Amino acid sequence: MPWTERQRRMLEEIGIRLWMPAPVPLPSGAVREAEGIASPVREAIAPVAVAPKAVSPAPFGRAGVASPPAAVPVSLDAGRMMEFDALDADTLAARAAACTACALCAGRSHSVFASGNQQADWMVVGDAPDADDDAAGAPFAGRPGQLLDNMLAALRLSRGPASRARHVYVAPAVKCRPPAGRVPEPDEVDRCRPYLARQVGLVKPRLIIAMGRVAAQSLVGSSEPTARLRGRVHRFDGVPVVVTYPPAHLLRHPQDKAAAWEDLCLALEIFGGADPADRGLT
């Protein structure tokens, strides 16, 4: 399938290169195909992306097409959640900044709560803050954040000022940086889960992208690797969740960028359209 110029630019944004195989020569004396009949040679030399075959998930409710299987939703402790349900965004952020519910608080410079428009339709949930995030007090502050911005730009989305439909709200699943960048313990993820659940409740996104295993664990309730959770749609409090690799992983393993691109296509399809330009998001 030929790729349009816009599709080429979108793939280049996240570092996926296109390649074109060498032309296949016709056998000597071969008769040219009749006019109006597709040429198999022409099919063979069409530009092909290094990404695996394109995904074609169906948005929820589309007639005649089954939705991908959904994971069992996370059940949070009712008592703990009721404690957070009455908090507004500012109070919730202040509480996170002063939180001492687990040992991670001892080593933080700043708690990392969120960034972006609280009225955004899209929400990105990361794993835990890294050293740059801890120093800045904001999620995805370093090189992973630059790659995230490129990934969002490929979908015509932004962490900066934009309309609700084009803006993204970004929050880490765990609000404090683990020492030496280790993976958060399950208990540490559990201690932060009420903050994330309340953020989802306040923002009311139409779709969540969970970037990484810890983010997926917090939202989906599964400890499976990202590779086994991606490619299907999960739910958190009724909100569709698409799992993909975090930008830090993609910087270390660029071969997974093609899979991440498939996940972004799935998210866009679930959001409600194959092309943002067709939905008035230009």
Side-chain angles (χ1 to χ4, degrees), residues 31-174:
V31 180
R32 296 179 180 178
E33 72 272 14
E35 184 177 355
I37 301 178
S39 169
V41 175
R42 211 171 280 155
E43 293 280 340
I45 64 175
V48 179
V50 297
K53 64 180 182 179
V55 296
S56 56
F60 296 114
R62 178 171 292 180
V65 184
S67 299
V72 176
V74 179
S75 295
L76 303 177
D77 180 80
R80 292 178 65 196
M81 289 309 303
M82 287 178 63
E83 186 181 348
F84 284 80
D85 281 347
L87 302 181
D88 60 22
D90 292 339
T91 305
L92 188 67
R95 181 160 179 167
C99 181
T100 57
C102 74
L104 293 183
C105 65
R108 72 185 177 213
S109 298
H110 301 92
S111 66
V112 180
F113 186 70
S115 65
N117 189 334
Q118 296 178 17
Q119 302 300 316
D121 281 342
W122 292 72
M123 184 170 180
V124 169
V125 176
D127 284 338
D130 62 16
D132 291 325
D133 303 343
D134 179 64
F140 295 103
R143 287 188 62 220
Q146 296 172 9
L147 179 55
L148 173 62
D149 289 337
N150 289 339
M151 296 169 73
L152 295 176
L155 300 180
R156 298 185 181 177
L157 301 172
S158 171
R159 291 197 282 169
S163 66
R164 176 185 174 105
R166 290 191 59 194
H167 205 279
V168 178
Y169 182 82
V170 182
V174 174

Side-chain angles (χ1 to χ4, degrees), residues 16 51-55 57 230 257-267:
I16 299 178
K53 64 180 182 179
V55 296
R230 55 172 299 274
K257 286 184 176 180
W261 172 245
E262 285 190 344
D263 299 331
L264 296 183
C265 290
L266 171 59

